[in-house]
Amino acid sequence: MYVMRCSKAENFREGRLSRYGNIELSPSAGVLNYGQGILEGTKANRTEDGRILLFRPEQNAARMRHGAERMCMPSPSIEQFVDAVKETVLANKRWIPPPGKGSLYVRPLLLGTGPILGLAPAPEYTFLIYASPVCNYFKDGTAPLNLFIDEEFVRASPGGAGGVKTITNYAPVLKAIVRAKNRGFSDVLYLDAMNRKYLEEVSSCNVFVVKGNLISTPAINGTVLEGVTRKSILEIARDHGYQVEERVISVDDLVDADEVFCTGTAVGVAPVGSITHQNRRIEFKSEGSLVCQELYSTLVGLQTGRIEDKKGWTVQID
Protein backbone atom coordinates (compact mmCIF):
# COMPACT_ATOMS: atom_id res chain seq x y z
CA MET A 1 0.00 0.00 0.00
CA TYR A 2 1.04 3.61 -0.51
CA VAL A 3 1.18 6.11 2.38
CA MET A 4 1.83 9.85 2.39
CA ARG A 5 1.30 12.26 5.29
CA CYS A 6 1.23 16.00 5.91
CA SER A 7 0.19 18.46 8.57
CA LYS A 8 -2.73 20.87 8.22
CA ALA A 9 -0.50 23.80 7.30
CA GLU A 10 1.61 21.90 4.77
CA ASN A 11 1.26 20.30 1.36
CA PHE A 12 1.73 16.62 0.65
CA ARG A 13 5.29 15.92 -0.49
CA GLU A 14 6.67 12.42 -0.63
CA GLY A 15 5.02 9.10 0.05
CA ARG A 16 6.27 5.55 0.20
CA LEU A 17 5.16 2.01 -0.44
CA SER A 18 4.91 -0.39 2.48
CA ARG A 19 3.54 -3.84 3.13
CA TYR A 20 -0.25 -3.95 3.38
CA GLY A 21 -1.20 -3.89 7.04
CA ASN A 22 -3.02 -2.14 9.84
CA ILE A 23 -2.52 1.56 10.47
CA GLU A 24 -2.24 3.12 13.91
CA LEU A 25 -4.61 5.94 14.83
CA SER A 26 -5.13 8.10 17.88
CA PRO A 27 -8.54 7.51 19.48
CA SER A 28 -9.12 11.23 18.92
CA ALA A 29 -8.26 11.15 15.21
CA GLY A 30 -10.48 13.47 13.20
CA VAL A 31 -11.63 10.67 10.92
CA LEU A 32 -12.79 8.53 13.86
CA ASN A 33 -14.58 11.26 15.78
CA TYR A 34 -15.94 13.55 13.09
CA GLY A 35 -15.84 11.55 9.86
CA GLN A 36 -13.21 13.71 8.18
CA GLY A 37 -12.39 11.35 5.37
CA ILE A 38 -12.76 10.92 1.60
CA LEU A 39 -12.57 7.77 -0.50
CA GLU A 40 -12.03 7.10 -4.17
CA GLY A 41 -12.20 4.04 -6.36
CA THR A 42 -10.67 3.12 -9.70
CA LYS A 43 -9.51 -0.03 -11.47
CA ALA A 44 -6.50 -1.39 -13.29
CA ASN A 45 -7.09 -3.88 -16.11
CA ARG A 46 -4.78 -6.28 -17.92
CA THR A 47 -5.04 -6.28 -21.70
CA GLU A 48 -4.87 -9.31 -23.99
CA ASP A 49 -1.31 -8.36 -24.96
CA GLY A 50 -0.19 -8.03 -21.34
CA ARG A 51 -0.32 -4.27 -20.82
CA ILE A 52 -1.75 -2.72 -17.66
CA LEU A 53 -4.22 0.14 -18.10
CA LEU A 54 -5.75 2.66 -15.72
CA PHE A 55 -8.94 4.46 -16.71
CA ARG A 56 -9.10 8.25 -16.27
CA PRO A 57 -7.30 8.37 -12.89
CA GLU A 58 -6.92 12.14 -13.17
CA GLN A 59 -10.69 12.40 -12.86
CA ASN A 60 -10.57 10.60 -9.51
CA ALA A 61 -7.74 12.90 -8.44
CA ALA A 62 -9.73 16.00 -9.36
CA ARG A 63 -12.80 14.70 -7.53
CA MET A 64 -10.75 14.04 -4.40
CA ARG A 65 -9.37 17.58 -4.50
CA HIS A 66 -12.91 18.95 -4.86
CA GLY A 67 -14.08 16.87 -1.92
CA ALA A 68 -11.08 17.81 0.19
CA GLU A 69 -11.87 21.50 -0.22
CA ARG A 70 -15.43 20.84 1.00
CA MET A 71 -14.14 18.87 4.00
CA CYS A 72 -11.39 21.37 4.95
CA MET A 73 -8.57 18.97 4.13
CA PRO A 74 -5.29 19.32 2.23
CA SER A 75 -5.10 16.95 -0.72
CA PRO A 76 -2.46 15.54 -3.06
CA SER A 77 -2.01 17.25 -6.40
CA ILE A 78 -3.46 15.51 -9.42
CA GLU A 79 0.06 14.46 -10.45
CA GLN A 80 0.83 13.10 -6.96
CA PHE A 81 -2.43 11.17 -6.90
CA VAL A 82 -1.92 9.59 -10.33
CA ASP A 83 1.72 8.73 -9.64
CA ALA A 84 0.76 7.12 -6.32
CA VAL A 85 -1.93 5.02 -8.03
CA LYS A 86 0.62 3.91 -10.63
CA GLU A 87 3.13 2.90 -7.93
CA THR A 88 0.49 0.99 -6.00
CA VAL A 89 -0.72 -0.90 -9.07
CA LEU A 90 2.80 -1.80 -10.20
CA ALA A 91 3.64 -3.06 -6.71
CA ASN A 92 0.52 -5.26 -6.84
CA LYS A 93 0.55 -6.20 -10.52
CA ARG A 94 0.76 -9.94 -9.76
CA TRP A 95 -2.78 -9.60 -8.34
CA ILE A 96 -4.31 -8.21 -11.53
CA PRO A 97 -6.66 -10.91 -12.91
CA PRO A 98 -6.25 -12.20 -16.48
CA PRO A 99 -8.20 -10.37 -19.22
CA GLY A 100 -11.92 -10.93 -18.88
CA LYS A 101 -11.65 -12.38 -15.37
CA GLY A 102 -11.80 -9.19 -13.32
CA SER A 103 -9.77 -6.15 -12.35
CA LEU A 104 -7.49 -4.78 -9.66
CA TYR A 105 -9.67 -2.45 -7.62
CA VAL A 106 -7.70 0.53 -6.29
CA ARG A 107 -8.96 2.38 -3.20
CA PRO A 108 -7.38 5.78 -2.41
CA LEU A 109 -8.25 7.28 0.98
CA LEU A 110 -7.69 10.75 2.41
CA LEU A 111 -8.06 10.73 6.19
CA GLY A 112 -7.87 13.24 9.03
CA THR A 113 -5.54 11.15 11.18
CA GLY A 114 -4.29 13.84 13.57
CA PRO A 115 -5.81 14.03 17.09
CA ILE A 116 -8.52 16.64 17.61
CA LEU A 117 -10.97 16.71 20.51
CA GLY A 118 -12.92 19.82 19.55
CA LEU A 119 -14.90 20.02 16.33
CA ALA A 120 -12.30 21.39 13.93
CA PRO A 121 -10.09 20.21 11.05
CA ALA A 122 -7.55 17.61 12.14
CA PRO A 123 -3.92 18.75 12.53
CA GLU A 124 -2.51 15.90 10.39
CA TYR A 125 -3.64 14.01 7.28
CA THR A 126 -2.84 10.70 5.65
CA PHE A 127 -3.25 9.81 1.99
CA LEU A 128 -3.34 6.03 1.61
CA ILE A 129 -3.90 3.66 -1.31
CA TYR A 130 -4.48 -0.07 -1.20
CA ALA A 131 -5.68 -2.53 -3.81
CA SER A 132 -7.54 -5.81 -4.15
CA PRO A 133 -8.33 -8.13 -7.05
CA VAL A 134 -12.04 -8.25 -7.83
CA CYS A 135 -14.07 -10.40 -10.18
CA ASN A 136 -16.59 -8.91 -12.57
CA TYR A 137 -19.35 -7.36 -10.45
CA PHE A 138 -22.13 -8.98 -12.46
CA LYS A 139 -21.43 -12.32 -14.11
CA ASP A 140 -23.08 -13.20 -17.43
CA GLY A 141 -26.64 -14.28 -16.85
CA THR A 142 -27.04 -12.43 -13.59
CA ALA A 143 -30.56 -11.06 -13.22
CA PRO A 144 -31.00 -7.29 -13.70
CA LEU A 145 -31.24 -5.05 -10.66
CA ASN A 146 -34.59 -4.66 -8.93
CA LEU A 147 -34.60 -1.32 -7.14
CA PHE A 148 -36.79 0.00 -4.35
CA ILE A 149 -37.60 3.68 -3.90
CA ASP A 150 -37.45 4.39 -0.17
CA GLU A 151 -39.48 7.46 0.76
CA GLU A 152 -38.40 7.45 4.40
CA PHE A 153 -34.65 7.83 3.91
CA VAL A 154 -32.77 10.28 1.71
CA ARG A 155 -29.15 10.00 0.68
CA ALA A 156 -28.34 13.72 0.59
CA SER A 157 -29.86 17.16 1.04
CA PRO A 158 -29.18 20.58 -0.51
CA GLY A 159 -26.21 22.28 1.14
CA GLY A 160 -24.85 18.97 2.41
CA ALA A 161 -21.97 16.83 1.15
CA GLY A 162 -23.87 14.49 -1.17
CA GLY A 163 -21.93 15.74 -4.18
CA VAL A 164 -18.53 14.71 -2.78
CA LYS A 165 -17.22 11.24 -2.04
CA THR A 166 -16.93 11.66 1.72
CA ILE A 167 -17.03 8.55 3.91
CA THR A 168 -19.97 10.07 5.80
CA ASN A 169 -22.28 9.50 2.81
CA TYR A 170 -22.20 5.73 3.03
CA ALA A 171 -22.98 4.44 6.53
CA PRO A 172 -26.31 6.35 6.64
CA VAL A 173 -27.66 4.38 3.65
CA LEU A 174 -26.90 0.98 5.16
CA LYS A 175 -30.21 0.72 7.01
CA ALA A 176 -32.18 1.47 3.85
CA ILE A 177 -30.13 -1.09 1.89
CA VAL A 178 -30.55 -3.83 4.50
CA ARG A 179 -34.27 -3.19 4.68
CA ALA A 180 -34.62 -3.32 0.90
CA LYS A 181 -32.55 -6.49 0.54
CA ASN A 182 -34.60 -8.18 3.25
CA ARG A 183 -37.61 -7.56 1.02
CA GLY A 184 -35.91 -9.10 -2.00
CA PHE A 185 -34.63 -5.94 -3.75
CA SER A 186 -31.12 -5.36 -5.06
CA ASP A 187 -30.65 -1.81 -3.81
CA VAL A 188 -32.34 1.51 -3.04
CA LEU A 189 -33.03 4.39 -5.43
CA TYR A 190 -33.19 7.64 -3.46
CA LEU A 191 -35.37 10.67 -4.12
CA ASP A 192 -34.58 14.33 -3.50
CA ALA A 193 -34.89 15.51 0.10
CA MET A 194 -37.09 18.54 -0.63
CA ASN A 195 -39.93 17.15 -2.77
CA ARG A 196 -39.47 13.38 -2.48
CA LYS A 197 -40.37 13.02 -6.17
CA TYR A 198 -37.19 13.48 -8.21
CA LEU A 199 -34.61 10.75 -8.81
CA GLU A 200 -31.13 11.26 -7.42
CA GLU A 201 -29.00 8.11 -7.32
CA VAL A 202 -28.72 4.57 -6.03
CA SER A 203 -26.71 3.86 -2.86
CA SER A 204 -23.35 3.77 -4.63
CA CYS A 205 -24.01 4.41 -8.31
CA ASN A 206 -25.66 6.85 -10.70
CA VAL A 207 -28.91 6.15 -12.54
CA PHE A 208 -29.89 6.65 -16.21
CA VAL A 209 -33.28 6.53 -17.94
CA VAL A 210 -33.67 5.61 -21.63
CA LYS A 211 -36.63 6.54 -23.84
CA GLY A 212 -36.12 5.95 -27.53
CA ASN A 213 -32.96 7.80 -28.59
CA LEU A 214 -32.94 9.96 -25.45
CA ILE A 215 -30.78 9.08 -22.46
CA SER A 216 -31.41 11.12 -19.29
CA THR A 217 -29.65 11.23 -15.93
CA PRO A 218 -30.15 13.47 -12.87
CA ALA A 219 -28.20 16.70 -13.12
CA ILE A 220 -25.26 17.41 -10.85
CA ASN A 221 -26.68 19.83 -8.29
CA GLY A 222 -24.70 19.28 -5.10
CA THR A 223 -26.63 16.21 -3.97
CA VAL A 224 -25.62 13.79 -6.75
CA LEU A 225 -22.09 12.40 -6.97
CA GLU A 226 -20.36 13.11 -10.28
CA GLY A 227 -19.23 9.58 -11.07
CA VAL A 228 -16.31 9.01 -13.42
CA THR A 229 -18.20 6.17 -15.10
CA ARG A 230 -21.27 8.42 -15.34
CA LYS A 231 -19.23 11.10 -17.06
CA SER A 232 -17.68 8.58 -19.44
CA ILE A 233 -21.00 6.98 -20.38
CA LEU A 234 -22.49 10.39 -21.17
CA GLU A 235 -19.71 11.04 -23.67
CA ILE A 236 -19.81 7.52 -25.12
CA ALA A 237 -23.59 7.84 -25.59
CA ARG A 238 -23.14 11.07 -27.55
CA ASP A 239 -20.52 9.36 -29.72
CA HIS A 240 -23.04 6.60 -30.45
CA GLY A 241 -25.57 9.15 -31.67
CA TYR A 242 -27.86 9.30 -28.65
CA GLN A 243 -29.40 12.51 -27.39
CA VAL A 244 -28.22 13.06 -23.81
CA GLU A 245 -29.83 15.18 -21.11
CA GLU A 246 -28.75 15.98 -17.56
CA ARG A 247 -31.97 17.17 -15.96
CA VAL A 248 -34.51 16.81 -13.18
CA ILE A 249 -36.19 13.40 -13.56
CA SER A 250 -39.50 12.75 -11.84
CA VAL A 251 -40.62 9.34 -10.59
CA ASP A 252 -43.52 9.74 -13.07
CA ASP A 253 -40.98 9.73 -15.93
CA LEU A 254 -40.20 6.09 -15.18
CA VAL A 255 -43.60 4.90 -16.37
CA ASP A 256 -42.81 5.50 -20.05
CA ALA A 257 -39.10 4.57 -19.91
CA ASP A 258 -37.75 1.83 -22.17
CA GLU A 259 -34.67 1.09 -20.11
CA VAL A 260 -33.10 2.11 -16.81
CA PHE A 261 -29.50 1.39 -15.90
CA CYS A 262 -26.91 2.24 -13.26
CA THR A 263 -23.25 3.21 -13.62
CA GLY A 264 -20.31 3.14 -11.23
CA THR A 265 -16.72 1.99 -10.86
CA ALA A 266 -17.79 -1.23 -9.15
CA VAL A 267 -20.88 -2.09 -11.21
CA GLY A 268 -19.70 -0.74 -14.57
CA VAL A 269 -23.05 -0.47 -16.35
CA ALA A 270 -25.87 -2.55 -14.85
CA PRO A 271 -29.38 -2.92 -16.32
CA VAL A 272 -32.38 -2.35 -14.06
CA GLY A 273 -35.26 -4.79 -14.47
CA SER A 274 -37.75 -3.06 -12.21
CA ILE A 275 -38.29 -0.20 -9.80
CA THR A 276 -40.88 -0.46 -7.04
CA HIS A 277 -42.46 2.72 -5.71
CA GLN A 278 -45.45 2.94 -3.35
CA ASN A 279 -46.29 -0.75 -3.92
CA ARG A 280 -46.21 -0.23 -7.70
CA ARG A 281 -43.66 -2.22 -9.69
CA ILE A 282 -42.51 -0.64 -12.95
CA GLU A 283 -40.67 -3.00 -15.29
CA PHE A 284 -38.17 -2.16 -18.00
CA LYS A 285 -36.59 -3.90 -20.96
CA SER A 286 -33.70 -6.01 -19.68
CA GLU A 287 -33.17 -8.63 -22.40
CA GLY A 288 -32.21 -8.62 -26.05
CA SER A 289 -30.56 -5.61 -27.64
CA LEU A 290 -30.05 -3.07 -24.86
CA VAL A 291 -28.70 0.48 -25.01
CA CYS A 292 -26.84 -0.07 -21.75
CA GLN A 293 -25.07 -3.15 -23.12
CA GLU A 294 -24.02 -1.22 -26.20
CA LEU A 295 -22.52 1.54 -24.07
CA TYR A 296 -20.97 -0.91 -21.61
CA SER A 297 -19.29 -2.83 -24.41
CA THR A 298 -17.57 0.35 -25.57
CA LEU A 299 -16.61 1.33 -22.02
CA VAL A 300 -15.04 -2.05 -21.26
CA GLY A 301 -13.40 -2.12 -24.67
CA LEU A 302 -11.62 1.14 -23.86
CA GLN A 303 -10.73 0.07 -20.31
CA THR A 304 -9.21 -3.21 -21.46
CA GLY A 305 -7.51 -2.02 -24.64
CA ARG A 306 -9.78 -3.91 -27.05
CA ILE A 307 -10.92 -0.60 -28.56
CA GLU A 308 -8.42 2.04 -29.65
CA ASP A 309 -8.44 4.92 -27.17
CA LYS A 310 -8.77 8.10 -29.22
CA LYS A 311 -9.85 10.14 -26.20
CA GLY A 312 -6.73 9.77 -24.08
CA TRP A 313 -8.71 8.19 -21.26
CA THR A 314 -6.44 5.24 -20.54
CA VAL A 315 -3.03 5.38 -18.90
CA GLN A 316 -0.56 2.58 -19.58
CA ILE A 317 1.71 1.98 -16.61
CA ASP A 318 4.10 -0.80 -17.58
Side-chain angles (χ1 to χ4, degrees):
M1 63 184 188
Y2 183 95
V3 181
M4 181 164 57
R5 294 185 173 90
C6 79
S7 69
K8 180 173 64 175
E10 296 178 342
N11 294 320
F12 284 99
R13 294 186 179 178
E14 293 184 8
R16 63 181 178 86
L17 289 167
S18 63
R19 298 288 293 178
Y20 179 87
N22 295 336
I23 60 174
E24 186 173 302
L25 288 176
S26 164
S28 58
V31 66
L32 296 180
N33 291 264
Y34 304 116
Q36 197 182 23
I38 295 171
L39 62 90
E40 271 299 332
T42 187
K43 288 179 178 178
N45 290 285
R46 195 181 296 276
T47 67
E48 292 289 350
D49 58 3
R51 293 174 295 140
I52 298 172
L53 297 180
L54 299 174
F55 186 72
R56 308 190 78 178
E58 78 289 344
Q59 294 292 318
N60 298 93
R63 187 168 63 178
M64 176 170 276
R65 288 183 64 82
H66 169 69
E69 192 279 329
R70 175 66 176 82
M71 302 295 285
C72 296
M73 307 168 74
S75 63
S77 68
I78 291 177
E79 183 179 8
Q80 285 175 322
F81 181 104
V82 173
D83 286 346
V85 169
K86 290 179 181 179
E87 284 193 48
T88 306
V89 171
L90 285 174
N92 291 283
K93 66 179 181 180
R94 66 189 181 279
W95 296 108
I96 304 175
K101 300 296 184 181
S103 308
L104 184 72
Y105 187 87
V106 183
R107 170 54 58 84
L109 297 170
L110 182 60
L111 309 172
T113 47
I116 185 78
L117 188 58
L119 180 56
E124 183 181 270
Y125 295 86
T126 298
F127 174 63
L128 185 151
I129 306 177
Y130 66 94
S132 173
V134 294
C135 62
N136 295 327
Y137 199 88
F138 293 110
K139 296 185 177 68
D140 291 341
T142 299
L145 301 177
N146 293 304
L147 303 179
F148 175 72
I149 293 179
D150 195 317
E151 293 192 311
E152 178 180 353
F153 297 108
V154 295
R155 178 190 164 274
S157 58
V164 300
K165 206 169 175 65
T166 168
I167 62 174
T168 52
N169 284 340
Y170 293 90
V173 303
L174 293 178
K175 185 172 184 179
I177 295 173
V178 169
R179 189 163 68 175
K181 288 189 174 182
N182 286 340
R183 297 178 60 184
F185 297 102
S186 308
D187 210 328
V188 177
L189 174 57
Y190 299 90
L191 302 179
D192 72 294
M194 300 295 289
N195 304 288
R196 305 293 178 96
K197 65 178 289 188
Y198 300 113
L199 308 186
E200 295 226 313
E201 62 180 86
V202 184
S203 301
S204 59
C205 48
N206 298 111
V207 64
F208 287 75
V209 177
V210 181
K211 178 63 178 177
N213 195 56
L214 175 64
I215 301 176
S216 304
T217 192
I220 300 299
N221 58 3
T223 59
V224 174
L225 186 67
E226 187 171 5
V228 177
T229 308
R230 172 192 183 276
K231 187 174 185 177
S232 303
I233 287 295
L234 286 171
E235 189 163 337
I236 290 171
R238 294 188 183 99
D239 291 344
H240 281 241
Y242 290 99
Q243 181 183 349
V244 174
E245 288 185 349
E246 297 179 70
R247 62 178 178 88
V248 172
I249 303 175
S250 169
V251 173
D252 296 335
D253 293 338
L254 294 174
V255 176
D256 297 325
D258 298 326
E259 287 181 46
V260 174
F261 62 88
C262 296
T263 66
T265 299
V267 303
V269 179
V272 174
S274 72
I275 296 176
T276 299
H277 177 234
Q278 295 179 343
N279 296 318
R280 180 186 184 187
R281 181 183 174 100
I282 308 169
E283 297 188 348
F284 311 101
K285 180 181 178 183
S286 57
E287 295 181 350
S289 178
L290 299 176
V291 171
C292 67
Q293 288 181 343
E294 175 189 349
L295 302 179
Y296 184 50
S297 178
T298 299
L299 176 70
V300 173
L302 290 167
Q303 291 173 333
T304 59
R306 294 199 307 268
I307 294 176
E308 181 183 358
D309 177 18
K310 298 180 180 180
K311 297 177 177 294
W313 284 356
T314 56
V315 177
Q316 184 174 326
I317 60 171
D318 71 328

